[in-house]
Amino acid sequence: MAPSPSSQLAAPRSDADVPAYWRALGLPGLADIHVHFLPEPMLAKVWAYFDQAQEHYGQPWPIHYRDDEATRIATLRALGVRAIPALAYPHKPGMAQWLNEWCAEFARRVEGAVHCATLFPEAGVGEQVERSLRQGARLFKMHVQVGGYSPDDPLLDPAWEALERAGKPVVLHAGSAPKEGAYTGPKAVAAVLDRYPRLTFVIAHLGMDEYDAFADLAEAFPRVHLDTTMAGTDFSNRFAPLPPAYVERLAGLGDRVVLGTDFPNIPHPYAHQLEALHRLGLGDDWMRKVLWHNGARLLGLEDADA
């Protein structure tokens, strides 16, 4: 499928431009599926890690929104993000349950928050996921590289069964960029989907940098989606640019591509993610689906058809 004609709209160049941009597209706001809120001590450790990005990634990664929680929430609301996820993920056994408790508490106290949860391959993970679902979790997060595990670890099978049955989306960071891990890449994800083909996976960062291999999964499995987090930005284009032929594939996957940003842990303004998507030149209808309709559908927002 060839890309649609480029929009006549001007791309947002600053955060102040963002609300006018989505309004000009006729949207009620933004449905961003990849936003992080964490317990403050954990967030401080994450930011300290990014402060050493030259060592970890070979280039600086300055946190653009290094603000307190209240300020970050207000920033998202001003941008027009209509539902606020709090994606969290463990890096060792025993962390998932207390992170899930924190995420449930965040959802209770923050108006418009998305009740999120996470999981880890450990004994009892199926029961943990079932508990989170009963409590109202509607978005899950996993990070293969940070967690150091394979998605097709047999310990996860009870969790996959529960999540497939519930139909809740799982934002899965399994691509090998910006840092490869022992279990990153599409092979193990494909193995899981072969066993649980109705799982609603949202592949973070478009599967950077194995873009085409993860697009293959989105084309082969009806509930696999791709989120845009940091893809096509000036920062990511330095080490994982989007090939032109892949951009054409994205045009045909318009119903499966979902806005994601990685707010607040990004080295650029929020507006730059929208600018990066705009300059792909895939047209206004594609942008409407990506910025609102697809994410609103996955998150169950009441006005998903607006």
Side-chain angles (χ1 to χ4, degrees):
M1 177 178 177
S4 303
S6 298
S7 171
Q8 297 304 306
L9 296 174
R13 303 302 297 272
S14 71
D15 285 1
D17 298 333
V18 168
Y21 184 79
W22 53 256
R23 288 191 183 103
L25 288 169
L27 299 177
L30 301 172
D32 187 344
I33 206 165
H34 197 137
V35 170
H36 294 285
F37 281 87
L38 299 169
E40 290 300 319
M42 186 175 179
L43 183 62
K45 292 180 181 179
V46 169
W47 285 351
Y49 184 89
F50 282 115
D51 287 342
Q52 302 300 317
Q54 187 68 51
E55 173 186 344
H56 299 305
Y57 300 112
Q59 61 181 325
W61 190 313
I63 301 296
H64 193 83
Y65 296 95
R66 197 185 292 256
D67 301 312
D68 61 36
E69 181 185 278
T71 301
R72 283 179 275 129
I73 291 171
T75 296
L76 288 171
R77 288 174 174 159
L79 287 163
V81 175
R82 291 284 301 275
I84 301 175
L87 298 184
Y89 46 89
H91 62 270
K92 61 184 179 181
M95 286 184 67
Q97 187 55 44
W98 72 263
L99 283 174
N100 289 341
E101 292 169 359
W102 184 89
C103 287
E105 189 270 336
F106 180 87
R108 286 191 295 269
R109 66 181 170 82
V110 175
E111 183 179 358
V114 177
H115 185 167
C116 298
T118 189
L119 56 151
F120 193 87
E122 57 188 331
V125 62
E127 290 84 355
Q128 288 183 11
V129 168
E130 294 278 15
R131 185 182 308 116
S132 293
L133 289 168
R134 288 194 301 271
Q135 292 173 347
R138 52 196 174 107
L139 180 65
F140 288 73
K141 167 68 175 177
M142 302 177 73
H143 199 306
V144 170
Q145 182 265 322
V146 170
Y149 58 81
S150 175
D152 69 347
D153 188 317
L155 283 170
L156 288 168
D157 283 350
W160 295 140
E161 291 173 8
L163 289 164
E164 184 181 48
R165 185 169 58 250
K168 300 303 181 184
V170 181
V171 176
L172 177 65
H173 185 139
S176 298
K179 189 172 183 178
E180 186 175 6
Y183 302 103
T184 57
K187 184 176 179 180
V189 180
V192 173
L193 288 165
D194 283 339
R195 299 200 304 276
Y196 305 101
R198 300 291 297 175
L199 275 169
T200 307
F201 275 156
V202 181
I203 305 299
H205 305 271
L206 301 181
M208 187 185 301
D209 57 354
E210 292 111 337
Y211 295 120
D212 280 297
F214 282 105
D216 289 344
L217 295 181
E219 291 174 349
F221 295 93
R223 298 185 65 83
V224 173
H225 295 67
L226 309 167
D227 92 28
T228 66
T229 301
M230 296 185 68
T233 63
D234 293 347
F235 181 85
S236 296
N237 281 344
R238 297 179 197 135
F239 57 86
L242 300 176
Y246 176 77
V247 174
E248 292 186 14
R249 291 190 77 181
L250 284 182
L253 286 166
D255 292 330
R256 305 286 193 85
V257 182
V258 186
L259 175 64
T261 60
D262 240 350
F263 178 95
N265 305 324
I266 45 179
H268 49 247
Y270 191 99
H272 182 54
Q273 181 68 73
L274 274 61
E275 179 187 18
L277 297 174
H278 177 99
R279 68 191 182 190
L280 295 179
L282 299 181
D284 291 352
D285 286 344
W286 189 87
M287 289 294 290
R288 290 185 186 99
K289 292 176 181 179
V290 172
L291 298 187
W292 175 253
H293 293 293
N294 297 338
R297 169 171 42 81
L298 289 175
L299 294 172
L301 303 185
E302 290 182 352
D303 48 357
D305 294 326

